[in-house]
Amino acid sequence: TLGELSPIDVHTPAQASQAVAIEPRGHIVVVRPDGGSDSSTSRMEFINPIDGRSVADVSIRLPHVVGIAYSPRTGNLYAVSQSSQESNPSGVYRIDMDESRDPSSLSAIATRIAQVPQPTALAFGPDGVLYVTSSGSGRNNGSLRKIGGAL
């Protein structure tokens, strides 16, 4: 039976969430547009699932994130981004925390690991293989892609 449906992130401004995942320590990770004038960035918010409290809010230089997932092998975070920007083209990205910056202004670094046109979602298999879907146009109805390696 379906339980009560209620918002959990009541402490944050109402913005369109684009992606969600559960990180290995149990926090909910929500990715939203940055909301500022810079459309090339997003925000990752880490939320405590017990009390809905925001634990961290991290800037990431990656636009239009449509999906995120953690690798069961390495614990690394991966994202798919649909973008027409030359500086951040569409594809699959590994997200690493930027340890070199001041801890009071957390940020993350996005590194493209695969070019996938118009990605729509991603998921890891239990064996660590990454699966990515992409939308198509015309006679191409989209595809499912498999990305192996040390992810």
Side-chain angles (χ1 to χ4, degrees):
T1 317
L2 182 62
E4 180 182 332
L5 179 63
S6 60
I8 190 169
D9 57 348
V10 295
H11 304 292
T12 61
Q15 295 178 7
S17 298
Q18 295 175 318
V20 64
I22 305 298
E23 58 117 18
R25 293 176 295 172
H27 292 114
I28 302 165
V29 182
V30 178
V31 178
R32 297 183 169 96
D34 193 5
S37 61
D38 187 359
S39 64
S40 66
T41 60
S42 298
R43 306 287 314 170
M44 289 191 315
E45 184 176 11
F46 294 76
I47 300 170
N48 182 323
I50 296 170
D51 61 10
R53 183 177 50 85
S54 180
V55 177
D57 188 11
V58 180
S59 174
I60 178 169
R61 195 153 185 78
L62 192 61
H64 199 63
V65 175
V66 294
I68 58 174
Y70 280 89
S71 167
R73 278 190 184 167
T74 64
N76 289 335
L77 178 61
Y78 291 86
V80 287
S81 172
Q82 287 184 356
S83 173
S84 58
Q85 297 178 356
E86 276 188 41
S87 60
N88 289 353
S90 289
V92 180
Y93 288 80
R94 187 185 69 240
I95 310 299
D96 300 307
M97 294 305 289
D98 186 354
E99 304 289 338
S100 66
R101 296 186 58 150
D102 177 7
S104 66
S105 62
L106 294 173
S107 68
I109 300 169
T111 304
R112 190 169 72 158
I113 63 159
Q115 180 178 348
V116 176
Q118 301 174 316
T120 54
L122 75 164
F124 278 93
D127 57 356
V129 172
L130 178 60
Y131 297 91
V132 178
T133 59
S134 63
S135 62
S137 60
R139 291 177 26 177
N140 176 7
N141 291 328
S143 65
L144 172 65
R145 297 165 191 249
K146 177 179 173 181
I147 302 173
L151 301 175

